[in-house]
């Protein structure tokens, strides 16, 4: 409810408007008509309600209509008021008013609303009032003050409409922020043929190109331009139709942009040739337009580089780094799901990784469609252009891998049922066979039938300029998680300052390598295991050489083997012989994530880690000899909980490096991914050159959550019901996991003041988590290659938000 003292203030200010205008609210001869508009602190276009033409009633309309030249205008404004007030204030379905309007147009043979004459509008008003009476049990209110207060209450109430709440959730706008209501004198774009209404932008909101851009509609009012009731004209035509008003609009919009120092979205009305500006706000714009305008405004000295960085949301940068659907394309959406990895791709459906690889080898673009994916599917994920899964969330295996590879993914696709025997999938009642064409819209979470035209992506000169300012501002460096030369090349191209995580287990897959890995696991004795490792070493060395050459001059952090050995063996039912079956059973664990993996694997089978270190050393020596530049290699030992574990494996590493006479490994450290490692960080720091937080596993072990089991199960309920505000696998749990990280940073640096500390979990690409890492004083974050530009901008914004630290200082002078 509107408080009584506010009602009194409204009455007082209406009297002030009457005095200024010489008009009377509710007066028949010279009526003052009002509009009621919302005014939220953060613009929410189309989400809040508006009521126009308040103050009209039967008496006022008949008085205005006595002047035949204004009869149609008066009647058109009255029917608009009843229609808008009936919907916004009385809650009558807007479609019922539209149905009556369309029915009358059909009866009278009118193509558009403006083809209805005064008598037609009288008939329409009668029909509207009958509907109002039928729906509310009362006639349309004739008292202007009743109309005004009803509209004020309704516009305030629209803050809590479902669409407004959804919009705020989408854009993280607090519900408690609230809104304002603005009461304004009406001006009329439907007064006569010399009147119009329009919307314009100070720069093109799609491209960012300078100059007025927009549309207008003659003899129109309110939302007519955006409602699509008639085809509006381009603003270019306004120069001929309304030359004086256009010149004034151009000057005024330029003044508004210079005053607010941002691209403006301006609503205007021309009433009998006179221009009125109704409102202005910062324009919603595409990522392309946002970057172009921000950089241009710095060049025009309207804003500083720091402000430009603040204008671009990190997620907008991500939109620029993936192919996207052409927004003009006509699409047939079969289903929707979670937008798990952005971008878009079209290709032929494959239902298993082997088929995906085969189709890709035949130069086919492939969309891998699975119930869910596992590490065993990695070759199919590599071959595919896009991924669709029936299950899993934004932190599922498919989603994580897709984002790491820069490929679009839609997870938890609604209604997707796969029949692997028939090699078909059913989606929204449509049966898809292997080879049918789908398009994956990973940005919008849509699965579309057929191929769709895509827009290419990349870092252009303007984005490069913006990210250069970001690098000059940030205190936290950005590295990339990269396992292949292709990933490393992408990371370097996108501005990564090194590799923060190379997962060596990804190098063990492939047609040539996996059988040798399986031989090593199945070996009957140490000699057989060593024979297999000797054959794996050249593969590893080749991989590391390529990584070192690609990242020359930048650090490369290589994690020794982390996952349990059973992941390299097929499921039990696919065992090829009794020996393999027995070994699978022997390696089976109730909870592999907390079993024989990471450093435990290295201590139980030290020859595996010795082979990997030897491969690193030989690769570094070979690259140094070939290029004359020594790599900056770092070796990371995973899943350490006890100082003795790190002692033993650091000793093994140093002995192997000495045997190979390798000087290029500049640091030996550990991944911090267990709570004990955090609380005993000082003990570990005395044995480590660096820490790297593996926050994926640290989150699981700290919260007691299995990501695979929580996603799509109780975690969804937790998020929807508000138990959790964020998915802890997407955004760091700062109070819990973050507190453990803080202890580790403080304890580690107290014991070793030269300790370098970074983060290499999935959170390393999340802007909110990056801001937390900045506040902790981390040296770097590491994320998937395609998140590197996002992280660069997020790191800069974190420095700016802190105030003072990381202030902009151009490196180029």
């Amino acid at each position: 409810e509107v408080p009584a003292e506010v009602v009194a203030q409204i009455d007082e200010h209406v009297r002030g408007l009457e005095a200024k205008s010489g008009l009377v609210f509710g007066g028949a001869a010279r009526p003052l008509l009002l509009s009621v508009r919302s005014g939220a602190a953060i613009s929410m276009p189309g989400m809040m309600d508006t009521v126009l033409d308040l103050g009209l009633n039967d008496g006022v309309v008949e008085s205005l209509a006595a002047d035949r030249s204004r009869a149609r205008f008066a009647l058109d404004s009255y029917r608009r008021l009843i229609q808008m007030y009936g919907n916004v204030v009385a809650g009558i379905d807007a479609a019922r008013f539209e149905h009556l309007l369309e029915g009358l147009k059909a009866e009278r043979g009118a193509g558009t609303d403006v083809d209805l004459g005064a008598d037609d509008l009288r008939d329409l008003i009668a029909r509207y009032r009958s509907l109002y009476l039928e729906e509310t049990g009362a006639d349309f209110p004739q008292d202007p003050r009743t109309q005004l207060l009803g509209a004020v209450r309704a516009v305030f109430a629209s803050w809590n409409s479902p669409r407004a709440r959804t919009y705020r959730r989408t854009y993280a706008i607090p519900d408690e922020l609230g809104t304002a209501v603005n009461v304004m004198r009406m001006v009329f774009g439907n007064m006569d043929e010399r009147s119009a209404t329009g919307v314009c932008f100070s720069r093109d909101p799609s491209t960012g190109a300078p100059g007025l851009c927009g549309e207008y509609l003659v003899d129109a009012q309110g939302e007519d331009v955006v409602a699509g009731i008639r085809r509006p004209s381009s603003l270019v035509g306004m120069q001929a139709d309304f030359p004086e008003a256009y010149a004034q609009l151009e000057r005024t919009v330029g003044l508004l942009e210079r005053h607010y120092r941002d691209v403006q979205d301006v609503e205007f009305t021309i009433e009998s040739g006179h221009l009125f500006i109704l409102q202005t706000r910062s324009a919603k714009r595409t990522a392309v337009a946002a970057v172009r305008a921000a950089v241009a405004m710095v060049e025009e000295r309207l804003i500083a580089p720091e402000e430009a960085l603040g204008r671009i949301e990190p997620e907008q940068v991500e939109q620029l780094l993936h192919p996207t659907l052409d927004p003009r394309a006509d699409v047939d959406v079969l289903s929707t799901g979670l937008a798990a990895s952005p971008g878009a791709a079209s290709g032929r459906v494959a239902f298993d990784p082997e088929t995906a690889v085969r189709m890709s080898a035949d130069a086919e673009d492939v969309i891998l469609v699975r119930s869910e994916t596992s590490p065993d599917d990695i070759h199919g994920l590599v071959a595919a252009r896009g991924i669709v899964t029936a299950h899993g969330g934004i932190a599922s295996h498919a989603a994580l891998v897709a984002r790491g590879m820069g490929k679009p993914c839609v997870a938890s696709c609604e209604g997707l049922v796969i029949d692997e025997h028939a090699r078909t999938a059913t989606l929204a009642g449509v049966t898809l066979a292997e080879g049918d064409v789908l398009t994956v819209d990973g940005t919008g979470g849509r699965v579309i039938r057929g191929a769709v035209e895509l827009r290419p992506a990349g870092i252009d000169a303007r984005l490069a300029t913006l990210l250069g300012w970001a690098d000059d501002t940030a205190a936290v460096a950005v590295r990339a998680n990269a396992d292949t030369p292709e990933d490393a090349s992408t990371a370097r191209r996108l501005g990564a300052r090194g590799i923060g995580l190379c997962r060596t287990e990804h190098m063990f897959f492939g047609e040539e390598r996996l059988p040798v890995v399986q031989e090593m696991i199945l070996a009957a004795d140490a000699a057989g295991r060593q024979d297999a490792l000797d054959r794996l070493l050249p593969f590893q060395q080749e991989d590391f050489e390529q990584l070192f050459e690609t990242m020359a001059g930048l650090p490369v952090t290589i994690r020794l083997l982390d996952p349990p050995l059973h992941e390299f063996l097929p499921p039990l039912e696919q065992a090829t012989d009794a020996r393999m079956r027995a070994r699978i059973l022997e390696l089976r664990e109730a909870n592999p994530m907390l079993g024989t993996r990471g450093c435990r694997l290295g201590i139980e089978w030290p020859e595996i880690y010795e082979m990997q270190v030897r491969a690193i050393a030989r690769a570094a020596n070979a690259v140094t000899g070939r290029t004359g530049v020594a790599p900056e290699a770092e070796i990371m030992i995973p899943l350490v909980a006890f100082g003795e574990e790190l002692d033993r494996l650091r000793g093994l590493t140093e002995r192997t490096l000495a045997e190979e006479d390798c000087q290029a490994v500049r640091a030996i450290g550990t991944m911090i991914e267990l709570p004990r490692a955090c609380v005993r960080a000082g003990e570990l720091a005395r044995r480590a050159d660096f820490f790297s937080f593996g926050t994926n596993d640290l989150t699981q072990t700290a919260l007691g959550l299995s990501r695979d089991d929580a996603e799509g199960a109780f975690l969804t309920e937790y998020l929807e019901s508000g138990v959790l505000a964020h998915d802890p696998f997407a955004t760091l749990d700062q109070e819990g996991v973050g507190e453990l990280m803080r202890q580790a940073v403080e304890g580690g640096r107290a014991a070793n003041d030269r300790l370098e500390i970074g983060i290499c979990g999935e959170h390393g690409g999340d802007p909110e988590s990056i801001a937390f890492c900045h506040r902790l004083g981390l040296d770097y974050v590491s994320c998937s290659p395609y998140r590197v530009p996002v992280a660069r901008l997020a790191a800069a914004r974190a420095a700016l938000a802190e105030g003072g630290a990381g202030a902009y200082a151009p490196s180029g002078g």
Side-chain angles (χ1 to χ4, degrees):
E1 286 300 311
V2 179
E5 59 268 32
V6 175
V7 172
Q9 291 172 33
I10 291 173
D11 291 337
E12 177 188 348
H13 285 288
V14 167
R15 289 192 294 272
L17 273 179
E18 289 176 327
K20 283 186 176 182
S21 65
L23 306 174
V24 178
F25 187 48
R30 290 178 55 77
L32 171 67
L33 302 184
L34 301 175
S35 70
V36 171
R37 297 166 172 264
S38 67
I42 297 175
S43 177
M44 296 165 48
M47 297 301 108
M48 304 288 288
D49 286 323
T50 297
V51 184
L52 307 178
D53 302 306
L54 292 156
L56 286 174
N57 55 28
D58 293 351
V60 173
V61 168
E62 290 308 318
S63 175
L64 290 173
D67 180 348
R68 293 181 62 83
S69 67
R70 295 199 169 186
R72 190 192 178 284
F73 153 71
L75 293 163
D76 182 48
S77 298
Y78 196 28
R79 72 90 183 171
R80 289 173 183 271
L81 171 61
I82 299 169
Q83 181 173 355
M84 194 172 284
Y85 191 95
N87 172 237
V88 174
V89 182
I92 303 169
D93 186 352
R96 298 201 64 186
F97 288 106
E98 285 297 323
H99 178 73
L100 293 175
L101 174 60
E102 292 304 317
L104 180 65
K105 285 161 62 177
E107 290 173 23
R108 306 297 160 83
T112 66
D113 299 2
V114 295
D115 295 326
L116 295 173
D119 291 339
D120 301 324
L121 291 170
R122 288 183 192 278
D123 190 354
L124 183 61
I125 289 167
R127 298 184 191 191
Y128 276 5
R129 292 181 68 167
S130 295
L131 171 62
Y132 193 98
L133 179 61
E134 174 191 333
E135 288 286 327
T136 67
D139 196 4
F140 177 76
Q142 296 293 299
D143 177 42
R145 186 172 181 272
T146 299
Q147 294 176 8
L148 175 58
L149 294 181
V152 168
R153 292 188 187 99
V155 173
F156 272 128
S158 69
W159 174 259
N160 286 319
S161 67
R163 68 174 183 269
R165 294 175 73 89
T166 299
Y167 186 94
R168 290 199 296 277
R169 280 198 305 272
T170 302
Y171 291 98
I173 300 172
D175 286 336
E176 297 77 15
L177 195 61
T179 187
V181 167
N182 297 303
V183 180
M184 301 171 65
R185 175 189 167 189
M186 282 290 298
V187 289
F188 301 95
N190 61 333
M191 179 75 77
D192 49 38
E193 292 184 355
R194 296 179 55 241
S195 301
T197 188
V199 176
C200 74
F201 301 88
S202 57
R203 302 181 193 229
D204 190 318
S206 294
T207 67
L212 283 189
C213 171
E215 296 175 320
Y216 74 105
L217 202 55
V218 175
D219 194 9
Q221 190 188 94
E223 300 293 311
D224 288 359
V225 172
V226 296
I229 59 170
R230 283 184 282 146
R231 186 179 182 85
S233 302
S234 168
L235 214 57
V236 175
M238 190 176 154
Q239 288 182 283
D241 292 344
F242 302 94
E244 291 182 9
Y246 181 86
Q248 189 177 7
L249 178 68
E250 192 171 40
R251 288 194 303 274
T252 305
V253 171
L255 175 65
L256 288 169
E257 183 181 88
R258 289 191 298 277
H259 176 76
Y260 290 110
R261 298 178 300 112
D262 198 5
V263 181
Q264 295 300 293
D265 172 353
V266 178
E267 292 184 25
F268 66 91
T269 287
I270 302 170
E271 182 182 284
S272 299
H274 296 285
L275 176 70
F276 295 86
I277 303 297
L278 306 184
Q279 70 172 21
T280 189
R281 59 190 172 194
S282 293
K284 301 295 182 184
R285 63 206 91 162
T286 66
V288 171
V291 171
R292 179 174 182 178
V295 173
M297 286 184 173
V298 173
E299 293 169 347
E300 295 163 18
R301 300 186 180 279
L302 276 177
I303 62 175
E306 298 95 325
E307 288 183 86
L309 293 170
R311 295 272 173 90
I312 313 300
E313 293 297 326
E315 298 304 331
Q316 287 182 296
V317 172
E318 184 169 30
Q319 295 173 28
L320 301 174
L321 302 174
H322 300 273
T324 55
L325 298 184
D326 187 331
R328 299 165 298 183
D330 185 22
V331 298
D332 179 7
V333 179
L334 291 178
S335 184
T336 59
L338 293 175
S341 182
S346 298
R348 298 193 179 278
V349 171
F351 294 119
D352 62 68
E354 288 72 27
T355 303
V357 170
R358 187 180 69 252
M359 292 170 66
S360 177
D362 292 335
E364 293 275 9
D365 289 340
V366 179
I367 303 298
L368 181 62
V369 179
R370 301 280 278 165
S371 294
E372 54 197 353
T373 67
S374 74
D376 293 337
D377 297 331
I378 187 70
H379 49 305
L381 295 168
V382 170
R385 294 279 185 176
I387 300 133
V388 178
T389 64
H391 309 298
I394 60 172
S396 64
H397 177 266
L400 293 175
V401 173
R403 288 198 291 272
M405 294 180 176
K407 297 182 180 184
C409 175
V410 175
S412 286
C413 185
E414 188 174 342
L416 173 60
V417 178
I418 299 171
D419 185 335
E420 294 188 4
H421 178 72
R423 312 297 292 174
T424 61
T426 304
L427 203 56
V430 176
T431 299
L432 301 168
E434 206 149 48
D436 287 351
V437 176
L438 282 181
T439 295
V440 180
D441 174 15
T443 303
R446 299 182 297 171
V447 179
I448 298 164
R449 178 153 53 179
V452 179
E453 188 72 24
L454 303 181
R455 284 185 169 180
I459 292 185
D460 62 13
R462 295 185 185 93
L463 182 55
T465 296
L466 185 86
L467 293 176
W469 295 333
D471 293 340
D472 290 335
T473 304
V476 177
V478 177
R479 300 187 190 179
N481 300 340
D483 314 321
T484 67
E486 293 75 21
D487 286 346
S489 179
T490 298
R492 185 151 198 165
R493 177 171 54 84
L494 296 179
R497 296 188 179 181
I499 291 177
L501 173 63
C502 170
R503 293 156 289 204
T504 55
E505 59 270 14
H506 287 184
M507 301 171 174
F508 283 10
F509 292 98
E511 292 182 8
E512 286 185 274
R513 304 174 184 208
L514 187 57
V516 184
V517 175
Q518 291 175 347
E519 279 186 46
M520 182 266 292
I521 297 170
L522 297 172
D525 53 31
R529 188 158 50 250
Q530 189 61 55
D531 177 67
L533 288 169
D534 289 344
R535 283 183 285 142
L536 280 175
L537 190 151
F539 290 126
Q540 289 261 276
Q541 179 178 337
E542 179 185 357
D543 292 333
F544 296 141
E545 285 186 32
Q546 292 181 56
L547 282 178
F548 292 150
E549 289 189 350
T550 302
M551 303 304 291
L554 296 174
V556 176
T557 306
I558 299 168
R559 183 180 71 185
L560 301 181
L561 189 63
D562 184 35
L565 294 180
H566 82 274
E567 287 198 3
F568 299 99
L569 297 176
L572 185 63
E573 59 272 16
Q574 295 178 18
T576 56
D577 54 40
R579 184 178 59 150
M580 180 178 284
R581 180 182 176 84
R583 188 64 167 142
I584 292 171
L585 289 171
E586 183 183 347
L587 291 173
R588 177 177 284 178
E589 294 177 314
N591 191 340
M593 193 199 86
L594 300 180
T596 310
R597 53 166 287 218
C599 68
R600 302 158 191 172
L601 193 68
I603 288 173
E604 189 166 357
W605 289 287
E607 57 268 34
I608 297 176
Y609 276 17
E610 182 184 331
M611 179 275 291
Q612 292 192 290
V613 174
R614 205 172 296 283
I616 294 168
R618 292 182 181 181
N621 289 343
V623 169
T624 303
R626 190 161 57 244
T627 66
V629 178
E632 296 188 24
E634 299 178 343
I635 295 177
M636 182 157 64
I637 298 166
L639 208 73
V640 166
F642 303 97
E644 183 62 25
E645 292 172 322
L646 190 52
D647 263 346
R648 293 188 181 196
L649 293 175
R650 179 166 189 136
L652 179 150
T653 301
E654 290 176 337
R655 285 194 302 274
T656 307
L657 293 173
E659 289 170 10
E660 296 293 334
D661 192 24
C662 177
Q663 309 298 318
V665 174
R666 70 172 196 169
I668 300 170
T670 185
M671 182 177 273
I672 303 293
E673 48 195 322
L674 296 173
R676 190 183 195 281
C678 293
V679 299
R680 297 294 297 167
E683 174 188 352
L684 299 179
R686 286 187 286 272
R687 300 164 166 88
D689 302 317
F690 68 88
F691 285 171
S692 181
F693 287 106
T695 49
N696 298 347
D697 278 358
L698 185 57
T699 296
Q700 294 192 91
T701 53
L703 302 186
L705 290 181
S706 164
R707 184 175 63 205
D708 293 337
D709 294 326
E711 286 285 352
F714 69 87
L715 185 55
T716 301
E717 171 63 25
Y718 269 39
L719 293 169
E720 290 178 352
S721 65
V723 174
L724 292 175
H726 304 286
D727 181 344
F729 296 111
T731 298
L732 267 171
D733 164 37
Q734 296 181 18
E735 292 78 14
V737 175
E739 177 60 19
L740 288 170
M741 293 172 65
R742 185 189 63 77
Q743 289 185 43
V745 170
E746 292 178 358
R749 288 197 167 136
N752 179 356
D753 60 9
R754 296 187 303 277
L755 188 71
E756 184 179 51
I757 306 179
I759 177 177
C760 61
E762 182 77 5
H763 302 96
D766 171 62
E768 192 171 329
S769 303
I770 291 169
F772 178 73
C773 292
H774 170 89
R775 294 194 297 273
L776 277 186
L778 267 57
D779 296 296
Y780 67 87
V781 298
S782 189
C783 57
S784 70
Y786 285 95
R787 295 286 293 179
V788 164
V790 176
R792 291 167 67 189
L793 179 58
R797 286 166 62 100
L800 292 170
E802 190 176 47
Y808 177 76
S811 58

